[in-house]
Amino acid sequence: MPNIVLKIDVDTFRGTKEGVPNLVRILKQHQAGATFLFSLGKDHTGWALRRAFRPGFFQKVSRTSVVEHYGIKTLMYGVLLPAPDIGNCTTEMRAVADAGFECGIHTWDHVVWHDNVRQRGKDWTCGQMQQAQQKFQQIFGHTPATHGAAGWQMNEHAFVQLDQFGMQYASDGRAMLTDDGSLANPEAGPYRLKVGNEVKSCIQMPTTLPTLDELLGRTVNCQELTSSTIAAHILDLTKNLRDHVFTLHAELEGQKLAPIFEELLTGWHKQGYRCISMADYFNVIKDKELPTYPLSWASLPGRSGELVALI
């Protein structure tokens, strides 16, 4: 039976308080598994406005209605409003684990990590990751099993740290996609990462499907992808059955885009998929012979900037 691994990135205070409980309810209703990856430090979403000068930023903002989905208050955190501490949302986070879902680390400070990690050294990188590790253990009472990098941004020191944490699997990068969101390499999937001359022990599960914010508002194959047509487009990408990793966001699919996510869950069930967590998928692939690929970077259709990508 093919699998859709559901990886949920939780970026903000509002996403943790509102989007996460909504997603737990939806997943329970559809009997779907998932992994929730939490940001654990302060919500400095407002600092992301500094990306305004990057190529493609305004195009994405105009397509995806950032203000509508994130809320003006969230966009002011760290700028005109104090940055709230997401790590204080212990009730909401523990409720996810109590509901039977896997929980892991997304990042300490989402904007700080996303905008800085590629240029930073070992001490800064490990310091950020260790803060997240300690806060996770404080909240959940155990060490996290997995990690999914904010914005798919990492550096070589971060991958070394995953091994030092003892994490056996993570989802820190993407598989390359064509303009319509299909896989550039139909064989792309889990792999072992080679950094320098060393192959890391932590298995990488790259996201193999486009995210909703990468597709919404774009014209693909002469059709504009709207909230009414986007689910059908993604389901067309999954009609040939194979394992996939799909990344969603508590701020999007957990709130205004929830109906689209429910449409996808229903469609994937009809196609014959089972929706599972990263932990479940690790148990499927852990004894398989996996390919090894070097650390590489690339840009994807519908997203500004480069990210860790399986080329």
Side-chain angles (χ1 to χ4, degrees), residues 20-91:
V20 165
N22 287 339
L23 284 171
V24 168
R25 175 185 55 79
I26 291 169
L27 291 164
K28 282 287 191 182
Q29 181 180 342
H30 288 265
Q31 298 181 320
T35 297
F36 287 76
L37 300 170
F38 290 105
S39 300
L40 296 158
K42 293 200 172 178
D43 182 350
H44 287 116
T45 300
W47 290 359
L49 296 176
R50 293 175 297 191
R51 299 176 196 157
F53 299 102
R54 297 183 183 180
F57 179 84
F58 276 121
Q59 185 180 28
K60 181 187 175 189
V61 167
S62 63
R63 283 193 298 102
T64 55
S65 304
V66 169
V67 174
E68 179 184 356
H69 292 300
Y70 285 79
I72 191 66
K73 186 175 182 179
T74 296
L75 295 176
M76 292 297 101
Y77 285 152
V79 180
L80 297 178
L81 293 174
D85 192 339
I86 303 172
N88 289 335
C89 301
T90 55
T91 300

Side-chain angles (χ1 to χ4, degrees), residues 162-188:
L162 293 182
D163 277 8
Q164 291 178 348
F165 282 154
M167 291 185 179
Q168 296 179 289
Y169 57 95
S171 184
D172 297 311
R174 303 289 296 269
M176 286 299 297
L177 303 176
T178 64
D179 190 61
D180 68 356
S182 59
L183 283 167
N185 175 8
E187 302 302 316

Side-chain angles (χ1 to χ4, degrees), residues 24-285:
V24 168
R25 175 185 55 79
I26 291 169
L27 291 164
K28 282 287 191 182
Q29 181 180 342
H30 288 265
Q31 298 181 320
T35 297
F36 287 76
L37 300 170
F38 290 105
S39 300
L40 296 158
K42 293 200 172 178
D43 182 350
H44 287 116
T45 300
W47 290 359
L49 296 176
R50 293 175 297 191
R51 299 176 196 157
F53 299 102
R54 297 183 183 180
F57 179 84
F58 276 121
Q59 185 180 28
K60 181 187 175 189
V61 167
S62 63
R63 283 193 298 102
T64 55
S65 304
V66 169
V67 174
E68 179 184 356
H69 292 300
Y70 285 79
I72 191 66
K73 186 175 182 179
T74 296
L75 295 176
M76 292 297 101
Y77 285 152
V79 180
L80 297 178
L81 293 174
D85 192 339
I86 303 172
N88 289 335
C89 301
T90 55
T91 300
E92 290 80 7
M93 293 186 195
R94 289 171 182 160
V96 176
D98 290 344
F101 295 98
E102 181 182 32
C103 299
I105 291 176
H106 190 37
T107 188
W108 175 244
D109 186 311
H110 189 281
V111 175
V112 169
W113 180 272
H114 182 285
D115 291 353
N116 292 279
V117 66
R118 192 172 178 184
Q119 294 79 33
R120 293 296 188 126
K122 177 181 178 180
D123 290 346
W124 183 91
T125 302
C126 295
Q128 290 277 310
M129 296 179 75
Q130 287 163 5
Q131 285 184 91
Q133 174 94 342
Q134 291 163 8
K135 176 59 76 170
F136 185 98
Q137 188 161 1
Q138 177 185 331
I139 294 170
F140 293 99
H142 61 84
T143 57
T146 193
H147 180 273
W152 301 279
Q153 302 293 314
M154 292 283 277
N155 63 29
E156 61 182 34
H157 309 293
F159 288 112
V160 171
Q161 185 65 70
L162 293 182
D163 277 8
Q164 291 178 348
F165 282 154
M167 291 185 179
Q168 296 179 289
Y169 57 95
S171 184
D172 297 311
R174 303 289 296 269
M176 286 299 297
L177 303 176
T178 64
D179 190 61
D180 68 356
S182 59
L183 283 167
N185 175 8
E187 302 302 316
Y191 67 99
R192 296 189 182 275
L193 180 68
K194 185 175 184 180
V195 179
N197 295 320
E198 184 177 352
V199 177
K200 300 288 120 188
S201 60
C202 182
I203 293 173
Q204 285 293 326
M205 305 174 180
T207 295
T208 57
L209 290 167
T211 62
L212 293 190
D213 60 323
E214 291 165 359
L215 291 174
L216 272 173
R218 288 176 55 211
T219 298
V220 176
N221 298 330
C222 300
Q223 178 187 39
E224 183 182 0
L225 296 179
T226 68
S227 58
S228 300
T229 61
I230 191 170
H233 180 78
I234 294 175
L235 291 170
D236 189 60
L237 296 176
T238 58
K239 66 182 179 182
N240 295 324
L241 303 185
R242 52 148 288 164
D243 292 345
H244 279 289
V245 176
F246 179 67
T247 295
L248 57 147
H249 295 82
E251 295 76 17
L252 301 178
E253 288 89 342
Q255 298 190 76
K256 287 189 176 294
L257 301 187
I260 299 173
F261 181 49
E262 293 202 70
E263 191 176 347
L264 287 173
L265 290 173
T266 299
W268 285 328
H269 177 74
K270 290 179 179 178
Q271 286 180 333
Y273 287 97
R274 62 172 190 152
C275 293
I276 62 173
S277 68
M278 292 169 63
D280 292 332
Y281 193 46
F282 174 70
N283 287 328
V284 172
I285 65 173

Side-chain angles (χ1 to χ4, degrees), residues 284-299:
V284 172
I285 65 173
K286 63 182 180 180
D287 296 323
K288 293 185 178 180
E289 189 75 24
L290 300 176
T292 298
Y293 296 106
L295 176 60
S296 56
W297 295 76
S299 57

